[in-house]
Amino acid sequence: MRAVRLSVATAAATAAALAAVTGCTEKSEAAGGDRVVEVTATDSECKVSKKEFPAGHVQLDVTNKGSKVTEVYLLFPDDRIVSERENIGPGTRQKVTAEVKAGDYRIACKPGMKGKGIRQDVKATGGGEAAKRDPRLDAAVASYREYTQEQADGTLPRVKVFADAVKAGDVAAAKKAYAPSRIGWERTEPVAESFGDIDPKVDLREDGLEEGQDLEKDWTGWHRLERSLWKDGKLTDRDSALADQLVEDLTDWQNRVGKAEITPTSMANGAKELLDEVATGKVTGEEERYSHTDLVDFKANVEGAEKSYALLKPVASENDAALTKELDTQFAALDTLLDKYREDKGKGGDGSEDSYEFTSYDKVGKAERKELSDAVNALAEPLSKLAAAVVATK
């Protein structure tokens, strides 16, 4: 599952804001329909309204009746993620549209956003085929698959530069290489996280360790090295080993990206997840707490979301022209706002060159962070409707 990105206390504070902008208090338009599964999450239960539903498009209508912030996942039996929604605050509702073939699945609720969660086995019934698609959506999936592979392929050389600097004990060079090494991952994070086991190895934050895990033995990946570079100010033999492991784990990711399950709805939901990542980690400054390179991650998350949207837009605009007009406006506004913090006006937006630099986030004031948060929320609200627009029929 995805590594915890923020403390439970912070999640509780941000979930209400997220709920307000994702339409999570709305009633399911198809409540009671055979393709709607009502999921009731509490601190100790994960109840589902039905254990079987037709293959094709399914909607999870999630209500959190517990006291803790929760996450809900639709999983393959091997724990790969079909779809997910994080940071569902107490007393709020969110809807997730997914596309599934006939077969066995699990729905998992994770109160407190840790552990494997409370699980229910469910089944999609039918002839084994997914819902019929507009051919343009098949083309969008193919293009997005190429994009994710390109991002993974482009990440490895930059990660090796970072790892080599760490192993050489060159703190200054490693600091310079750190943020660029993360861009491809941040652009395609939902696909990377769909495998379940890679994300905790490479992108876990210090406060994301599970109970019983050891800080020194079990914490690996970028953020462990980030702490050594910016907090400790020195590199050890342990850091050299961690650098080699990071390259190994990301090579595994590179080799597996092409096998990821990608659908039009997972692309749309992934775009929304990337905005939630920004809202709950980057805007708060928790993601890059030592390096303060949050705005590089922030920009990469937005670029990844915008890529998914651009590929899905031809179909979504026919089904909901008002929605895509609003998304165009809000993406442009957020891009313009982020450019205010660019210190290197070089390239980076097309994935071919990633040399851009941003203001250190510890120099971004409270009012400016609020402005960024408001822009993210203004985009997240319409973006939460993209999956439904993609599968709508006129």
Side-chain angles (χ1 to χ4, degrees):
M1 299 301 115
R2 171 177 297 190
V4 174
R5 304 281 175 181
L6 63 165
S7 67
V8 173
T10 302
T14 59
L18 285 172
V21 300
T22 57
C24 58
T25 58
E26 297 176 1
K27 287 286 185 182
S28 167
E29 294 176 2
D34 61 357
R35 295 186 182 278
V36 176
V37 180
E38 305 280 348
V39 181
T40 304
T42 70
D43 296 345
S44 59
E45 292 182 307
C46 186
K47 296 181 179 180
V48 297
S49 62
K50 56 174 65 75
K51 294 292 187 75
E52 292 189 1
F53 44 83
H57 296 121
V58 60
Q59 178 181 295
L60 303 186
D61 192 346
V62 184
T63 303
N64 183 2
K65 293 188 175 181
S67 63
K68 301 176 181 178
V69 176
T70 196
E71 302 171 344
V72 171
Y73 294 80
L74 179 61
L75 303 168
F76 291 103
D78 61 2
D79 276 5
R80 286 176 298 130
I81 298 170
V82 179
S83 192
E84 63 178 302
R85 189 56 51 88
E86 298 186 338
N87 302 305
I88 304 172
T92 63
R93 167 174 282 169
Q94 296 202 19
K95 294 183 290 186
V96 186
T97 301
E99 183 178 332
V100 296
K101 295 180 180 179
D104 295 326
Y105 297 88
R106 293 185 179 120
I107 293 174
C109 306
K110 293 176 62 175
M113 304 193 305
K114 287 196 175 186
K116 287 190 170 291
I118 305 161
R119 300 180 170 212
Q120 294 278 5
D121 291 334
V122 295
K123 180 187 291 288
T125 60
E129 295 298 324
K132 289 184 179 179
R133 292 182 193 151
D134 185 312
R136 292 174 296 175
L137 294 178
D138 289 325
V141 168
S143 295
Y144 187 68
R145 189 179 297 281
E146 290 179 5
Y147 173 74
T148 59
Q149 188 67 62
E150 288 169 359
Q151 295 304 310
D153 292 346
T155 293
L156 261 295
R158 292 190 285 271
V159 169
K160 288 176 181 176
V161 170
F162 172 60
D164 287 346
V166 169
K167 291 189 290 183
D170 191 335
V171 172
K175 283 183 174 181
K176 183 178 180 180
Y178 172 76
S181 76
R182 291 176 50 76
I183 292 171
W185 173 272
E186 291 290 340
R187 284 176 177 153
T188 60
E189 202 164 2
V191 173
E193 289 167 344
S194 70
F195 298 113
D197 59 335
I198 297 177
D199 181 73
K201 295 178 182 179
V202 304
D203 203 26
L204 186 69
R205 282 181 10 199
E206 188 171 354
D207 53 1
L209 290 167
E210 301 287 350
E211 185 176 351
Q213 287 187 305
D214 181 85
L215 188 66
E216 294 305 317
K217 290 195 303 181
D218 298 319
W219 186 23
T220 61
W222 271 301
H223 294 303
R224 174 64 182 82
L225 292 166
E226 178 201 6
R227 190 184 74 166
S228 293
L229 288 167
W230 275 273
K231 184 179 181 183
D232 301 337
K234 61 181 181 180
L235 294 165
T236 66
D237 290 343
R238 169 63 173 159
D239 294 313
S240 293
L242 288 169
D244 281 335
Q245 183 178 345
L246 180 64
V247 172
E248 180 181 341
D249 290 336
L250 288 170
T251 301
D252 181 27
W253 163 57
Q254 178 191 26
N255 292 335
R256 291 163 67 183
V257 160
K259 303 179 182 70
E261 290 281 343
I262 299 174
T263 66
T265 54
S266 74
M267 289 170 59
N269 289 328
K272 175 61 172 59
E273 289 163 28
L274 285 169
L275 264 290
D276 287 353
E277 286 280 322
V278 172
T280 59
K282 280 69 173 184
V283 167
T284 64
E286 292 182 80
E287 179 80 0
E288 306 288 358
R289 62 188 64 180
Y290 303 117
S291 66
H292 305 300
T293 56
D294 302 86
L295 286 172
V296 177
D297 292 355
F298 190 143
K299 178 66 172 177
N301 284 159
V302 173
E303 287 174 343
E306 197 161 9
K307 179 66 174 182
S308 291
Y309 166 60
L311 291 172
L312 297 171
K313 181 180 174 181
V315 173
S317 62
E318 290 184 6
N319 293 331
D320 194 338
L323 176 65
T324 55
K325 181 179 180 181
E326 178 68 9
L327 285 168
D328 288 342
T329 298
Q330 297 304 337
F331 266 118
L334 184 54
D335 286 336
T336 298
L337 182 58
L338 278 170
D339 279 346
K340 288 172 52 179
Y341 298 95
R342 288 278 294 273
E343 293 188 341
D344 173 4
K345 301 299 183 182
K347 284 78 173 177
D350 62 359
S352 60
E353 295 183 67
D354 295 312
S355 61
Y356 57 86
E357 297 176 359
F358 283 81
T359 301
S360 180
Y361 204 56
D362 57 339
K363 294 181 171 59
V364 178
K366 185 176 180 180
E368 288 77 19
R369 293 189 185 198
K370 175 65 163 56
E371 183 181 27
L372 286 165
S373 178
D374 288 346
V376 170
N377 289 343
L379 173 58
E381 191 280 326
L383 197 57
S384 70
K385 301 174 183 177
L386 180 59
V390 166
V391 304
T393 55
K394 301 194 75 169

